[in-house]
Amino acid sequence: MTDIKSMTLQEMTEAMQEMGESAFRGRQVFTWLHKGARSFEEMSNLSKALRQKLAEAYAITAPTVARKQVSAQDGTIKYLWELGDGNCIETVLMQYHHGNTVCISSQVGCRMGCAFCASTVGGKVRDLLPSELLDQVLFTQLDSGLPISNIVLMGIGEPMDNLDNVLRFLELVNHPDGLNIGMRHISLSTCGVLPGIRRLGDLGLQLTLSVSLHAPDSETRSKIMPVNRAYDVEDLFRECHRYFEKTGRRISFEYAMIDGVNDSDQQADLIAKKVKGMPAHVNLIPLNDVRESHFKPSRRIAAFQKRLESHGVTATVRRSLGGDIDASCGQLRRRAMEERKGECV
Ligand code: SAH
């Protein structure tokens, strides 16, 4: 059965015409799906016969809440969704003064292998479909009752490792007949898969690119991020400059501060040198403790920030939300995998 929610409005319209229906039925179905309809039965402005025909040919994805945790500290909500095939994914809703932001996963698991990250512990299981990316935004909004204005692709998985589906999702979520979330309200984070950055740059989308840098020198970066052995950080910086020239958009560099690994003044100096010539924003992240890793949070965050700023580089320290609910980086899915064993993969 075809996954109908992954189809664009145009594809849906054409499919309707092929079924001998009027073209406008395509928009009706698109609208229902993007409002969160879980079955064709609900689509009350379609004839019963058409609803039946659709149900025979198409499937509608609709995740169920496997777990939901609400932070008592700041209202952050973390969802563990169970997908049609029993796999589980995490989505986090954060309430900021500039609007509600949803952090979505791009894959079930991750194969990038970053040494400090919990998402990668069990490897990658599969890519998420465009519909499953959209569902995270759609059903988080419906379940929470909070209107979502911003999306960050910063959950589990590497978006550039699933780029076709991610691009299709962007088209869907951006659509005026759908959730209509503007590109400038969307961020995509990558560990540095260069062909993906190049492809995205060539498209010239107005979204914000975040690059998980975590070390400006090859030696350190290769130790903590295996992706650096395939795509070296020197080439990564070059690609980032190119991206800026193509899109005119400022890049955000994510930098988890790890004690004694990437927090020296020399490393701050090197970052400044490498981003010279483009507007960059460095987001310093206090390291989240991951049980599997021996890394410790850095105690030099303020000094590192100051050092970057002394070179004219904008640097901020990320405020941590949802600390009481395992809200970061694959922690909830991993815990659920341990506790539910087999119930949820
Ligand atoms: N694969 C993409 C998307 C994941 S985003 C990427 O790498 O960018 C998740 C962000 O959280 C990344 O910047 C990641 O490096 C960071 N992160 C992972 N584990 C962390 C930890 N233990 N502490 C702080 N940040 C972490």
Side-chain angles (χ1 to χ4, degrees):
M1 289 226 271
T2 308
D3 167 27
I4 192 165
K5 212 186 293 175
S6 289
M7 290 164 73
T8 61
L9 174 58
Q10 194 184 337
E11 288 167 347
M12 249 177 244
T13 304
E14 284 164 9
M16 286 297 159
Q17 286 170 314
E18 274 164 35
M19 287 174 113
E21 297 288 334
S22 309
F24 75 91
R25 297 283 177 212
R27 177 166 275 120
Q28 284 181 325
V29 174
F30 189 89
T31 307
W32 276 111
L33 292 171
H34 288 245
K35 280 196 177 134
R38 291 174 170 267
S39 72
F40 293 106
E41 263 323 290
E42 294 170 41
M43 304 184 181
S44 51
N45 54 0
L46 306 183
S47 71
K48 195 150 180 72
L50 177 56
R51 282 184 259 162
Q52 243 157 25
K53 249 195 317 190
L54 287 170
E56 280 159 25
Y58 296 102
I60 302 177
T61 55
T64 53
V65 179
R67 246 170 222 228
K68 177 180 175 181
Q69 287 175 273
V70 183
S71 165
Q73 294 165 2
D74 52 46
T76 297
I77 308 177
K78 180 136 184 171
Y79 288 96
L80 186 73
W81 299 106
E82 184 164 342
L83 307 175
D85 64 356
N87 276 303
C88 287
I89 53 169
E90 292 180 1
T91 305
V92 183
L93 175 69
M94 295 158 290
Q95 300 180 48
Y96 293 112
H97 59 272
H98 61 269
N100 299 318
T101 300
V102 70
C103 175
I104 66 171
S105 296
S106 55
Q107 298 175 313
V108 180
C110 184
R111 64 187 184 113
M112 293 297 136
C114 298
F116 47 82
C117 181
S119 301
T120 204
V121 171
K124 178 183 118 171
V125 180
R126 70 169 173 87
D127 290 329
L128 291 179
L129 301 166
S131 54
E132 291 168 328
L133 294 164
L134 184 68
D135 284 342
Q136 294 177 66
V137 186
L138 202 54
F139 290 109
T140 295
Q141 180 165 272
L142 282 174
D143 183 88
S144 67
L146 298 167
I148 287 164
S149 48
N150 303 288
I151 301 171
V152 296
L153 280 140
M154 285 195 185
I156 295 179
E158 169 53 44
M160 298 298 194
D161 193 34
N162 185 20
L163 191 52
D164 287 335
N165 289 351
V166 165
L167 290 176
R168 186 172 265 265
F169 155 71
L170 292 174
E171 187 181 337
L172 294 175
V173 81
N174 185 228
H175 200 283
D177 290 319
L179 289 175
N180 197 14
I181 295 180
M183 283 296 167
R184 284 173 183 264
H185 294 265
I186 301 175
S187 294
L188 184 152
S189 182
T190 177
C191 62
V193 179
L194 302 193
I197 298 178
R198 175 152 294 221
R199 202 172 144 198
L200 202 61
D202 286 340
L203 289 173
L205 300 178
Q206 289 301 292
L207 52 73
T208 300
L209 180 67
S210 285
V211 172
S212 295
L213 182 62
H214 305 315
D217 58 289
S218 239
E219 198 192 334
T220 311
R221 198 163 189 271
S222 284
K223 274 190 205 146
I224 56 178
M225 300 178 74
V227 69
N228 196 70
R229 293 172 217 152
Y231 303 113
D232 188 79
V233 67
E234 289 292 321
D235 300 321
L236 173 59
F237 281 122
R238 207 171 302 128
E239 202 60 50
C240 287
H241 280 279
R242 182 183 181 274
Y243 183 92
F244 167 66
E245 279 153 29
K246 284 264 170 191
T247 62
R249 301 283 295 162
R250 180 176 85 160
I251 294 178
S252 176
F253 291 93
E254 307 297 304
Y255 204 90
M257 300 287 297
I258 312 174
D259 183 42
V261 174
N262 65 359
D263 59 352
S264 71
D265 280 344
Q266 290 86 322
Q267 281 158 322
D269 296 345
L270 188 55
I271 295 174
K273 187 173 157 204
K274 295 293 181 185
V275 301
K276 208 173 158 70
M278 67 171 168
H281 171 239
V282 180
N283 200 0
L284 302 172
I285 314 171
L287 184 77
N288 288 303
D289 255 326
V290 174
R291 230 188 308 144
E292 284 79 2
S293 91
H294 54 278
F295 296 118
K296 293 276 159 278
S298 169
R299 289 154 294 178
R300 298 198 71 251
I301 299 182
F304 200 84
Q305 179 185 22
K306 247 191 166 155
R307 188 87 179 187
L308 283 170
E309 283 171 344
S310 76
H311 294 293
V313 176
T314 314
T316 50
V317 181
R318 182 184 286 174
R319 194 161 60 96
S320 177
L321 293 177
D324 54 335
I325 56 162
D326 290 335
S328 49
C329 314
Q331 293 174 352
L332 182 63
R333 175 169 172 266
R334 193 195 49 180
R335 177 166 300 188
M337 285 196 304
E338 286 168 4
E339 288 173 10
R340 293 173 56 132
K341 286 205 178 76
E343 215 184 311
C344 189
V345 277

